[in-house]
Every structure is written in structure tokens, then in C-alpha cells.
Amino acid sequence: MASLGRGLTKKDSHAGAYEALLTDWRDRAAQVRLGGGQKRIDREHARGKLTARERVARLIDSPEDFLEVGLFAGDGMYEAEGGCPAAGTVMGLGRVSGRQCVIVANDATVKAGAWFPITAKKNLRAQDFALENHLPIIYLVDSAGVFLPMQDEIFPDRDHFGRMFRNNAILSSRGIPQIAAIMGSCVAGGAYLPIMSDEALIVDGTGSVFLAGPFLVKAAIGEQVDNETLGGAAAHSQISGVTDYRVPDDETCLQTVRDLVGRLGRRDRAGFDRVNAVEPAFPAEELTSVVPTAGNITYDMRQVLARVIDADSWTEYKAEYGQTLITGYARIDGWSVGVVANQRLLVKARTGARAASDEMQAGGVIYSDSADKAARFIMNCNQKRIPLVFLQDVTGFMVGTRAEHGGIIKDGAKMVNAVANSTVPKFTVVIGNSYGAGNYAMCGRAYDPRLMLAWPTARIAVMGGSQAAKTLLQIQMAKLRRSGDEPDEKTQKELLERITARYDAQTSPYYAAARMWVDEIIDPRETRRWLSAGIEMSDHNPNIPAFNPGVMQT
């Protein structure tokens, strides 16, 4: 085994600049957690109801251990409709009666818990966690149904509202427990979600469930009826038999859910190797000193690894070959993992046909030899049933005549092929840049990582901001010239600044998190905790198919 990293000197530290990013992250997170605002929180309390976040905190064993996913979903979106903080839903991983569970809670302070397009996407992601990892899923239902002004963007397509009910059926068929607590309104199509779960609870006085509310019933068939008579707790517990448990209040409801989860039988596991955890060689608190906030400054990814993986657990694979990617075996909180990480330092190229011996390879770029090494390592991890962790800070694959003649497309395709066909659980952390095909090869969202996390320094785009802005400027200039306009230097500069600002906003981690391109933005110092929880999550699914790499050209 080889050691990693070293102690930091004062000149190494980027902590001050990183702390400013984390302060902004904390401030934005605190604002999102207010949901629809204090007045609406007070209104829920006046109705005898807990808020979504209060419900989750009372449901789980330890509120501080809850890993919230999708906190920034919807951030900056739907402003014309008043916004949709956290997509109107609290979702994440927590322990209930000692069992790791997926938890989804509608936030009734946000448009009465109505479903926006991003709400559906976030709820489908929660069901992905349950399906992929065989985790129990708990729904705390309190929703007015589809946000009607946007029904065309949420109702009919493959990954829209109806997909949830299809997933309810699939989860049930696979024996993955689903428990639903009806703690407020549950209207129209949304009524299927709790009733297609395995067990449903309803809170007396506040819970209601029906396909059509009193107003629609009146309009459709002329019947005059109130909520409680139509679909309240008594109606569904005594008459229809739709619900299984009638409870007097939120507190009793949540305690009953805990009791039900506590009675679940034990299941087979995947059996990923784990030993007693050892703390990293260097403290995680130093991670903000290691990584620069500017994407064009080099740093040593081994310094990051030394503060995330267990001390003395590193065994590097092909250390002297393809050095712009680091590959090796390690342990994270005792779990055995394979690591694929971009190296941002400039490294001297190996001798051989593809690179001159005196050439310096650019940090963050994937070369042919690096791609070949990674593909082989990924295949090895699949053969050994070892989960994979990808640490992204990648500007893409190498371009230019030398790279093209050396077969960069072929070697890049081999790496993408290996990632796409990998059957062991994959986990991705975007530390810095995540550009172009580098995002794909390093297991971006399209390649089904079980968990995809981002640091506040993350940037996700088809290419870097400077290159993209200049390219877009040239396109805009050509368009203006065709119309007979020749902008002066000042106009060109202003145009470039506007394009750059717009593009930079779109590469922000918050832009990515708002659209669920990443599951969560995290404090770098929490990386080890999140990855450990993710591997534990994946260990619940014993079904790991055999690896078949498909066509892998040599």
C-alpha cells in the first residue's frame, strides 16, 4: 500500500476563498429550508399540522444524520409562479427504527404542496433510490396535486407524473416496502401514490384522499359534499377500506410509521467488503485549503484523496501510466472502493508513440493512455464486485492532430463503454470542472451513478466558460454581419461580457442542482460521510448482474 498526500503549508491554502463559497451555500440553504415562508409555516401549525421538515425530523432516529437530497431543486425556476423552493418536497436518506430508508415529504407551505415539473423529477429520483438499492420508501403525503397552469409539462410524458404510479407498482412487485402517511390533502391523480403503496395511514381531521374534490364533484355530477364526508379519515377507514390505519394526529402517525418499519424482516445484501473504519491520514477540514475556487489553478488530487479515504488503504493501479487519471483501490469509512479521479497537476508524459517524452500533459485532460487505464481498471472493479467512486475535475478529452492520430476517439469510447456497462454501484463527486465528454466518461448523470454530488466549486457544461463565450460571440458576430451590422470594439466587448455572464450562470452548481443534474451540493468536508451512506444504501440490493463490456476495441 502507498501513502497519499502531505501536510499543507500556508501557501497551499485556499481556505479563505472557499469559506466565502460555503457561507453563500449555507445562506442559500437556510432560505430554501423556509419553504413558502414563516407565515405559511404558522398557518400549518394553526391547523394542527407539522411542516414537512418537522415531520421528517420526528420520523427519523437522529435528525442531524438526515442526508437531504435535492435541496436546491427548483432554485431560481418558476419565478413567475412565485417560485418552488426545494421543488416543494423534502427528500433524502435517514434511519427509521434503525433501518436506512428513503423519505419523501410534500411541503404544504409551497403552493399547498402542488406538483411542479421539477417536483415530479425529484420524486422520481427518490423512487430511483428505492428501486436501485432495494431501500424502503416512506411517503408523507400532503399535496393539492398537479400545478394546473403547468399541467402540460408534468402530466403526459414518460418521466412525468404518471411514472410515479408505475414505479409504485414496480416497487411493490419487487418486494420493496412502501409506506404512505396521508397527513393532508391527497387529490386527483396524486391519490394513487399512497393507495398504491403497501400500507397507508391517514390522520383524522387533516388527512383526506379522493380522485375528485368537492368542487369538481359538484361540477361533474351535481352532488354537494364536504371534504370529510367525501374522503376523510372516517370515510376511508370505516366505509371504503382504502386506508389501513386511522391516527389522531401527526405525532401518532409518525410513531406508527416507525413501528411498522421496525417490524420489517431482514433481507439479503450485496455483501460489499467492509472492515473497521480508519480516519483519513489528514483531517477533512483541510479539503477547503487543498482545492482552489478558480477552475484554472492546478492542485494535486492525491491531496484530496488523503483527506477522504481511510489512512493506509491506498493501492494505486498503473501509477506511472496515464497520469492525468488516478486509479486505485481504497477504503472509505471501511468500505472497499475503486477510485477514478482526474489529476489537475501538470505531469510529464510517458515515452512512446502517443506522446513525446519531454511533453507536459495538461491537468484535467483525459489522454488516450489515461482512458485506456481507466477502462481496464473499471473492468477489474466489476470483476471483483468493488463499488466505483469517480472524482471529477475534467476539462474533456485531449484534442489536436497528435491526439486524433493517436486514437483518442477510440480510447475515449473504450472508457465510456466501460462506465456505461459497469454493473457495480457508481458514485460521482464533481469537485471542479465537468466539461464535455469528460462528464460522460467520468460517470456523469447520464451514466446512472447511484449518487451524484457536487462541491460549491463544481462547474458543469459542454465546455469551459471562456471558450464557450468566445465561440458564441463569433456566432453572434457573424449573424450581425450578415444583417449588415459591423459592431465596434466596445459593442463586441459588451456582447462578450453578456454572453460570459449568462454562460457562467448556467455552469453554476446551483443551476445544475436546480435541475437535478446532481443530487446535492455538499460541504467538501462531508464527502466521506455521503459516500459511506451511499455505499451502505447500495449494499441493500443483492442483485449485481455480471459485467459484459460489449464491444471494446483494442
Side-chain angles (χ1 to χ4, degrees):
M1 292 188 182
S3 61
L4 282 169
R6 55 175 172 77
L8 297 178
T9 64
K10 187 174 181 179
K11 68 181 180 65
D12 293 318
S13 181
H14 303 282
Y18 218 115
E19 187 55 44
L21 289 181
L22 287 172
T23 297
D24 179 58
W25 169 73
R26 284 188 287 266
D27 290 345
R28 296 175 72 148
Q31 185 61 42
V32 171
R33 290 190 178 100
L34 287 175
Q38 191 60 49
K39 286 185 178 180
R40 293 182 181 178
I41 292 172
D42 294 341
R43 186 171 64 183
E44 292 299 296
H45 289 164
R47 293 173 174 173
K49 296 165 63 179
L50 299 171
T51 66
R53 294 185 183 281
E54 290 167 343
R55 288 167 176 168
V56 171
R58 284 164 172 75
L59 174 66
I60 59 181
D61 297 348
S62 178
E64 59 269 20
D65 290 337
F66 181 61
L67 294 178
E68 184 166 358
V69 174
L71 175 63
F72 293 100
D75 184 64
M77 301 169 68
Y78 315 116
E79 294 299 329
E81 291 78 21
C84 187
T89 306
V90 180
M91 187 264 277
L93 299 171
R95 293 190 187 282
V96 178
S97 298
R99 300 291 293 270
Q100 193 180 39
C101 296
V102 183
I103 301 164
V104 187
N106 300 119
D107 186 350
T109 71
V110 179
K111 291 289 191 296
W115 290 69
F116 284 69
I118 195 64
T119 313
K121 188 171 186 178
K122 184 171 177 178
N123 278 262
L124 289 172
R125 183 62 180 142
Q127 291 181 323
D128 282 345
F129 283 141
L131 281 165
E132 290 177 338
N133 303 291
H134 288 201
L135 281 186
I137 182 167
I138 300 168
Y139 309 100
L140 307 180
V141 186
D142 192 346
S143 172
V146 167
F147 184 64
L148 288 177
M150 304 187 76
Q151 64 85 26
D152 61 321
E153 298 180 45
I154 188 175
F155 171 68
D157 210 348
R158 178 185 181 276
D159 290 322
H160 283 179
F161 200 54
R163 188 75 171 184
M164 286 185 303
F165 316 136
R166 175 263 189 193
N167 286 350
N168 283 138
I170 298 298
L171 283 159
S172 182
S173 73
R174 295 181 184 175
I176 301 169
Q178 299 176 87
I179 299 173
I182 302 165
M183 308 182 78
S185 298
C186 188
V187 184
Y192 285 107
L193 186 143
I195 308 311
M196 291 189 72
S197 297
D198 302 304
E199 294 183 285
L201 303 86
I202 188 167
V203 178
D204 208 355
T206 56
S208 60
V209 55
F210 30 66
L211 292 180
F215 291 119
L216 183 52
V217 168
K218 174 69 172 176
I221 63 173
E223 181 184 354
Q224 187 82 36
V225 65
D226 60 56
N227 275 6
E228 199 62 28
T229 304
L230 182 64
H236 285 308
S237 299
Q238 299 173 359
I239 302 170
S240 72
V242 164
T243 54
D244 305 304
Y245 307 92
R246 179 183 177 187
V247 292
D249 51 40
D250 279 10
E251 295 280 4
T252 306
C253 181
L254 296 168
Q255 186 54 51
T256 306
V257 173
R258 288 182 52 81
D259 179 64
L260 293 171
V261 174
R263 297 172 187 271
L264 294 175
R266 299 292 163 180
R267 308 291 181 96
D268 291 338
R269 295 289 192 101
F272 299 126
D273 186 62
R274 192 181 195 185
V275 299
N276 292 332
V278 177
E279 288 298 309
F282 299 93
E285 285 71 21
E286 293 182 353
L287 283 169
T288 56
S289 296
V290 171
V291 177
T293 57
N296 57 353
I297 299 176
T298 61
Y299 64 94
D300 189 352
M301 185 62 80
R302 287 184 173 83
Q303 296 287 346
V304 174
L305 287 171
R307 290 155 178 84
V308 172
I309 68 173
D310 294 17
D312 298 322
S313 69
W314 180 247
T315 302
E316 189 157 352
Y317 175 81
K318 291 185 180 289
E320 298 178 272
Y321 179 76
Q323 295 181 51
T324 61
L325 275 178
I326 299 172
T327 52
Y329 302 103
R331 291 191 182 273
I332 293 177
D333 197 29
W335 293 103
S336 173
V337 298
V339 175
V340 181
N342 301 112
Q343 175 59 293
R344 287 304 309 271
L345 286 181
L346 298 177
V347 295
K348 190 171 183 180
R350 65 179 177 86
T351 58
R354 295 186 185 180
S357 61
D358 58 349
E359 181 183 1
M360 298 299 288
Q361 295 191 351
V365 177
I366 302 175
Y367 284 75
S368 285
D369 51 3
S370 302
D372 175 71
K373 174 173 80 169
R376 292 170 184 269
F377 179 71
I378 290 165
M379 288 188 283
N380 287 349
C381 287
N382 274 269
Q383 183 187 48
K384 298 175 182 179
R385 291 172 62 95
I386 297 175
L388 284 157
V389 174
F390 293 83
L391 302 179
Q392 286 194 9
D393 195 342
V394 56
T395 52
F397 285 92
M398 189 58 189
V399 297
T401 304
R402 183 190 295 274
E404 298 291 359
H405 291 182
I408 186 65
I409 296 175
K410 179 182 67 177
D411 290 316
K414 285 196 294 186
M415 182 177 175
V416 171
N417 193 320
V419 173
N421 284 295
S422 178
T423 59
V424 295
K426 305 183 292 284
F427 304 88
T428 302
V429 183
V430 186
I431 291 175
N433 300 323
S434 180
Y435 294 155
N439 170 279
Y440 302 159
M442 291 295 292
C443 197
R445 175 61 98 202
Y447 292 80
D448 295 329
R450 298 286 179 98
L451 195 60
M452 186 163 179
L453 308 168
W455 289 10
T457 37
R459 289 165 293 275
I460 301 175
V462 72
M463 65 178 71
S466 175
Q467 301 95 313
K470 290 175 182 177
T471 302
L472 291 168
L473 176 64
Q474 293 305 311
I475 294 170
Q476 187 67 26
M477 291 289 292
K479 182 178 178 181
L480 290 170
R481 288 179 181 129
R482 283 196 300 270
S483 64
D485 190 5
E486 184 62 44
D488 58 23
E489 186 175 332
K490 180 181 178 183
T491 302
Q492 291 183 42
K493 182 180 178 182
E494 291 173 350
L495 187 58
L496 179 61
E497 288 173 352
R498 286 200 301 272
I499 292 171
T500 301
R502 184 175 69 248
Y503 196 88
D504 285 348
Q506 293 177 354
T507 64
S508 158
Y510 297 99
Y511 192 91
R515 289 151 183 82
M516 296 293 291
W517 299 345
V518 296
D519 291 312
E520 193 56 74
I521 302 172
I522 65 168
D523 184 326
R525 294 164 290 198
E526 293 289 299
T527 303
R528 176 180 165 89
R529 176 189 173 210
W530 275 86
L531 289 174
S532 177
I535 299 167
E536 180 188 357
M537 170 180 74
S538 69
D539 194 48
H540 284 81
N541 185 352
N543 303 320
I544 306 296
F547 177 66
N548 184 348
V551 178
M552 297 282 283
Q553 295 182 358
T554 56

PDB file of all heavy atoms in Angstrom, residues 68-91:
ATOM      1  N   GLU A  68     -30.165  15.177   3.222  1.00  0.00           N
ATOM      2  CA  GLU A  68     -31.195  15.708   2.333  1.00  0.00           C
ATOM      3  C   GLU A  68     -30.691  15.753   0.904  1.00  0.00           C
ATOM      4  O   GLU A  68     -29.598  16.248   0.622  1.00  0.00           O
ATOM      5  CB  GLU A  68     -31.631  17.102   2.785  1.00  0.00           C
ATOM      6  CG  GLU A  68     -32.766  17.639   1.933  1.00  0.00           C
ATOM      7  CD  GLU A  68     -33.465  18.851   2.531  1.00  0.00           C
ATOM      8  OE1 GLU A  68     -33.093  19.260   3.645  1.00  0.00           O
ATOM      9  OE2 GLU A  68     -34.384  19.372   1.877  1.00  0.00           O
ATOM     10  N   VAL A  69     -31.500  15.252   0.006  1.00  0.00           N
ATOM     11  CA  VAL A  69     -31.184  15.207  -1.416  1.00  0.00           C
ATOM     12  C   VAL A  69     -32.107  16.173  -2.158  1.00  0.00           C
ATOM     13  O   VAL A  69     -33.297  16.250  -1.872  1.00  0.00           O
ATOM     14  CB  VAL A  69     -31.355  13.776  -1.968  1.00  0.00           C
ATOM     15  CG1 VAL A  69     -31.161  13.747  -3.476  1.00  0.00           C
ATOM     16  CG2 VAL A  69     -30.382  12.819  -1.283  1.00  0.00           C
ATOM     17  N   GLY A  70     -31.536  16.924  -3.093  1.00  0.00           N
ATOM     18  CA  GLY A  70     -32.355  17.819  -3.898  1.00  0.00           C
ATOM     19  C   GLY A  70     -32.812  19.073  -3.185  1.00  0.00           C
ATOM     20  O   GLY A  70     -33.852  19.638  -3.529  1.00  0.00           O
ATOM     21  N   LEU A  71     -32.034  19.547  -2.221  1.00  0.00           N
ATOM     22  CA  LEU A  71     -32.420  20.762  -1.500  1.00  0.00           C
ATOM     23  C   LEU A  71     -32.584  21.939  -2.451  1.00  0.00           C
ATOM     24  O   LEU A  71     -33.496  22.756  -2.300  1.00  0.00           O
ATOM     25  CB  LEU A  71     -31.370  21.092  -0.431  1.00  0.00           C
ATOM     26  CG  LEU A  71     -31.579  22.406   0.331  1.00  0.00           C
ATOM     27  CD1 LEU A  71     -32.872  22.378   1.128  1.00  0.00           C
ATOM     28  CD2 LEU A  71     -30.394  22.709   1.251  1.00  0.00           C
ATOM     29  N   PHE A  72     -31.703  22.040  -3.453  1.00  0.00           N
ATOM     30  CA  PHE A  72     -31.739  23.191  -4.356  1.00  0.00           C
ATOM     31  C   PHE A  72     -32.541  22.918  -5.631  1.00  0.00           C
ATOM     32  O   PHE A  72     -32.488  23.696  -6.574  1.00  0.00           O
ATOM     33  CB  PHE A  72     -30.314  23.625  -4.697  1.00  0.00           C
ATOM     34  CG  PHE A  72     -29.564  24.179  -3.523  1.00  0.00           C
ATOM     35  CD1 PHE A  72     -28.653  23.396  -2.827  1.00  0.00           C
ATOM     36  CD2 PHE A  72     -29.798  25.471  -3.080  1.00  0.00           C
ATOM     37  CE1 PHE A  72     -27.966  23.891  -1.729  1.00  0.00           C
ATOM     38  CE2 PHE A  72     -29.122  25.984  -1.980  1.00  0.00           C
ATOM     39  CZ  PHE A  72     -28.212  25.199  -1.309  1.00  0.00           C
ATOM     40  N   ALA A  73     -33.281  21.804  -5.662  1.00  0.00           N
ATOM     41  CA  ALA A  73     -34.140  21.532  -6.818  1.00  0.00           C
ATOM     42  C   ALA A  73     -35.139  22.674  -6.987  1.00  0.00           C
ATOM     43  O   ALA A  73     -35.776  23.109  -6.028  1.00  0.00           O
ATOM     44  CB  ALA A  73     -34.880  20.208  -6.633  1.00  0.00           C
ATOM     45  N   GLY A  74     -35.250  23.171  -8.200  1.00  0.00           N
ATOM     46  CA  GLY A  74     -36.166  24.279  -8.479  1.00  0.00           C
ATOM     47  C   GLY A  74     -35.596  25.647  -8.187  1.00  0.00           C
ATOM     48  O   GLY A  74     -36.281  26.662  -8.403  1.00  0.00           O
ATOM     49  N   ASP A  75     -34.348  25.727  -7.713  1.00  0.00           N
ATOM     50  CA  ASP A  75     -33.751  27.006  -7.343  1.00  0.00           C
ATOM     51  C   ASP A  75     -33.705  27.952  -8.545  1.00  0.00           C
ATOM     52  O   ASP A  75     -33.142  27.628  -9.585  1.00  0.00           O
ATOM     53  CB  ASP A  75     -32.327  26.779  -6.821  1.00  0.00           C
ATOM     54  CG  ASP A  75     -31.669  28.051  -6.314  1.00  0.00           C
ATOM     55  OD1 ASP A  75     -32.172  28.615  -5.332  1.00  0.00           O
ATOM     56  OD2 ASP A  75     -30.672  28.476  -6.922  1.00  0.00           O
ATOM     57  N   GLY A  76     -34.327  29.120  -8.405  1.00  0.00           N
ATOM     58  CA  GLY A  76     -34.326  30.111  -9.481  1.00  0.00           C
ATOM     59  C   GLY A  76     -35.293  29.818 -10.604  1.00  0.00           C
ATOM     60  O   GLY A  76     -35.365  30.572 -11.576  1.00  0.00           O
ATOM     61  N   MET A  77     -36.043  28.732 -10.498  1.00  0.00           N
ATOM     62  CA  MET A  77     -37.008  28.355 -11.531  1.00  0.00           C
ATOM     63  C   MET A  77     -38.419  28.792 -11.107  1.00  0.00           C
ATOM     64  O   MET A  77     -38.688  29.024  -9.935  1.00  0.00           O
ATOM     65  CB  MET A  77     -36.976  26.843 -11.759  1.00  0.00           C
ATOM     66  CG  MET A  77     -35.603  26.324 -12.181  1.00  0.00           C
ATOM     67  SD  MET A  77     -35.464  24.514 -12.147  1.00  0.00           S
ATOM     68  CE  MET A  77     -36.567  24.043 -13.481  1.00  0.00           C
ATOM     69  N   TYR A  78     -39.289  28.921 -12.071  1.00  0.00           N
ATOM     70  CA  TYR A  78     -40.708  29.227 -11.822  1.00  0.00           C
ATOM     71  C   TYR A  78     -40.922  30.532 -11.058  1.00  0.00           C
ATOM     72  O   TYR A  78     -41.840  30.658 -10.250  1.00  0.00           O
ATOM     73  CB  TYR A  78     -41.385  28.070 -11.052  1.00  0.00           C
ATOM     74  CG  TYR A  78     -41.058  26.703 -11.567  1.00  0.00           C
ATOM     75  CD1 TYR A  78     -40.366  25.790 -10.771  1.00  0.00           C
ATOM     76  CD2 TYR A  78     -41.415  26.315 -12.855  1.00  0.00           C
ATOM     77  CE1 TYR A  78     -40.054  24.525 -11.244  1.00  0.00           C
ATOM     78  CE2 TYR A  78     -41.100  25.054 -13.337  1.00  0.00           C
ATOM     79  CZ  TYR A  78     -40.412  24.163 -12.531  1.00  0.00           C
ATOM     80  OH  TYR A  78     -40.095  22.906 -12.998  1.00  0.00           O
ATOM     81  N   GLU A  79     -40.050  31.501 -11.287  1.00  0.00           N
ATOM     82  CA  GLU A  79     -40.175  32.769 -10.563  1.00  0.00           C
ATOM     83  C   GLU A  79     -41.501  33.464 -10.882  1.00  0.00           C
ATOM     84  O   GLU A  79     -42.090  34.119 -10.023  1.00  0.00           O
ATOM     85  CB  GLU A  79     -38.989  33.682 -10.901  1.00  0.00           C
ATOM     86  CG  GLU A  79     -37.641  33.156 -10.395  1.00  0.00           C
ATOM     87  CD  GLU A  79     -37.582  32.993  -8.886  1.00  0.00           C
ATOM     88  OE1 GLU A  79     -38.251  33.756  -8.168  1.00  0.00           O
ATOM     89  OE2 GLU A  79     -36.882  32.069  -8.413  1.00  0.00           O
ATOM     90  N   ALA A  80     -41.970  33.320 -12.117  1.00  0.00           N
ATOM     91  CA  ALA A  80     -43.238  33.945 -12.498  1.00  0.00           C
ATOM     92  C   ALA A  80     -44.409  33.360 -11.718  1.00  0.00           C
ATOM     93  O   ALA A  80     -45.438  34.018 -11.543  1.00  0.00           O
ATOM     94  CB  ALA A  80     -43.477  33.778 -14.006  1.00  0.00           C
ATOM     95  N   GLU A  81     -44.265  32.112 -11.242  1.00  0.00           N
ATOM     96  CA  GLU A  81     -45.318  31.468 -10.463  1.00  0.00           C
ATOM     97  C   GLU A  81     -45.083  31.598  -8.965  1.00  0.00           C
ATOM     98  O   GLU A  81     -45.775  30.959  -8.164  1.00  0.00           O
ATOM     99  CB  GLU A  81     -45.405  29.981 -10.828  1.00  0.00           C
ATOM    100  CG  GLU A  81     -45.937  29.708 -12.224  1.00  0.00           C
ATOM    101  CD  GLU A  81     -44.894  29.922 -13.312  1.00  0.00           C
ATOM    102  OE1 GLU A  81     -43.679  29.898 -12.995  1.00  0.00           O
ATOM    103  OE2 GLU A  81     -45.277  30.115 -14.476  1.00  0.00           O
ATOM    104  N   GLY A  82     -44.107  32.386  -8.560  1.00  0.00           N
ATOM    105  CA  GLY A  82     -43.822  32.570  -7.145  1.00  0.00           C
ATOM    106  C   GLY A  82     -42.742  31.667  -6.604  1.00  0.00           C
ATOM    107  O   GLY A  82     -42.458  31.669  -5.404  1.00  0.00           O
ATOM    108  N   GLY A  83     -42.117  30.887  -7.480  1.00  0.00           N
ATOM    109  CA  GLY A  83     -41.016  30.022  -7.063  1.00  0.00           C
ATOM    110  C   GLY A  83     -41.503  28.696  -6.502  1.00  0.00           C
ATOM    111  O   GLY A  83     -42.679  28.507  -6.182  1.00  0.00           O
ATOM    112  N   CYS A  84     -40.553  27.784  -6.376  1.00  0.00           N
ATOM    113  CA  CYS A  84     -40.867  26.442  -5.870  1.00  0.00           C
ATOM    114  C   CYS A  84     -39.664  25.936  -5.074  1.00  0.00           C
ATOM    115  O   CYS A  84     -38.927  25.052  -5.520  1.00  0.00           O
ATOM    116  CB  CYS A  84     -41.185  25.509  -7.039  1.00  0.00           C
ATOM    117  SG  CYS A  84     -41.774  23.872  -6.568  1.00  0.00           S
ATOM    118  N   PRO A  85     -39.434  26.479  -3.856  1.00  0.00           N
ATOM    119  CA  PRO A  85     -38.260  26.093  -3.062  1.00  0.00           C
ATOM    120  C   PRO A  85     -38.197  24.592  -2.797  1.00  0.00           C
ATOM    121  O   PRO A  85     -39.192  23.975  -2.401  1.00  0.00           O
ATOM    122  CB  PRO A  85     -38.456  26.874  -1.752  1.00  0.00           C
ATOM    123  CG  PRO A  85     -39.384  27.987  -2.094  1.00  0.00           C
ATOM    124  CD  PRO A  85     -40.270  27.474  -3.177  1.00  0.00           C
ATOM    125  N   ALA A  86     -37.018  24.021  -3.056  1.00  0.00           N
ATOM    126  CA  ALA A  86     -36.766  22.586  -2.850  1.00  0.00           C
ATOM    127  C   ALA A  86     -37.776  21.735  -3.614  1.00  0.00           C
ATOM    128  O   ALA A  86     -38.053  20.594  -3.236  1.00  0.00           O
ATOM    129  CB  ALA A  86     -36.772  22.229  -1.376  1.00  0.00           C
ATOM    130  N   ALA A  87     -38.323  22.275  -4.703  1.00  0.00           N
ATOM    131  CA  ALA A  87     -39.334  21.587  -5.521  1.00  0.00           C
ATOM    132  C   ALA A  87     -40.586  21.250  -4.724  1.00  0.00           C
ATOM    133  O   ALA A  87     -41.341  20.343  -5.078  1.00  0.00           O
ATOM    134  CB  ALA A  87     -38.749  20.324  -6.166  1.00  0.00           C
ATOM    135  N   GLY A  88     -40.806  21.969  -3.622  1.00  0.00           N
ATOM    136  CA  GLY A  88     -41.992  21.726  -2.803  1.00  0.00           C
ATOM    137  C   GLY A  88     -41.989  20.381  -2.110  1.00  0.00           C
ATOM    138  O   GLY A  88     -43.038  19.871  -1.698  1.00  0.00           O
ATOM    139  N   THR A  89     -40.795  19.798  -1.935  1.00  0.00           N
ATOM    140  CA  THR A  89     -40.681  18.445  -1.381  1.00  0.00           C
ATOM    141  C   THR A  89     -39.387  18.321  -0.576  1.00  0.00           C
ATOM    142  O   THR A  89     -38.335  18.783  -1.023  1.00  0.00           O
ATOM    143  CB  THR A  89     -40.647  17.388  -2.501  1.00  0.00           C
ATOM    144  OG1 THR A  89     -41.779  17.542  -3.346  1.00  0.00           O
ATOM    145  CG2 THR A  89     -40.642  15.981  -1.944  1.00  0.00           C
ATOM    146  N   VAL A  90     -39.477  17.688   0.581  1.00  0.00           N
ATOM    147  CA  VAL A  90     -38.290  17.339   1.357  1.00  0.00           C
ATOM    148  C   VAL A  90     -38.003  15.864   1.097  1.00  0.00           C
ATOM    149  O   VAL A  90     -38.883  15.009   1.259  1.00  0.00           O
ATOM    150  CB  VAL A  90     -38.507  17.583   2.857  1.00  0.00           C
ATOM    151  CG1 VAL A  90     -37.250  17.203   3.640  1.00  0.00           C
ATOM    152  CG2 VAL A  90     -38.879  19.035   3.116  1.00  0.00           C
ATOM    153  N   MET A  91     -36.778  15.558   0.667  1.00  0.00           N
ATOM    154  CA  MET A  91     -36.445  14.184   0.293  1.00  0.00           C
ATOM    155  C   MET A  91     -35.021  13.862   0.721  1.00  0.00           C
ATOM    156  O   MET A  91     -34.153  14.731   0.689  1.00  0.00           O
ATOM    157  CB  MET A  91     -36.583  14.027  -1.235  1.00  0.00           C
ATOM    158  CG  MET A  91     -36.433  12.613  -1.748  1.00  0.00           C
ATOM    159  SD  MET A  91     -34.764  12.228  -2.342  1.00  0.00           S
ATOM    160  CE  MET A  91     -34.824  12.883  -4.008  1.00  0.00           C
TER     161      MET A  91
END
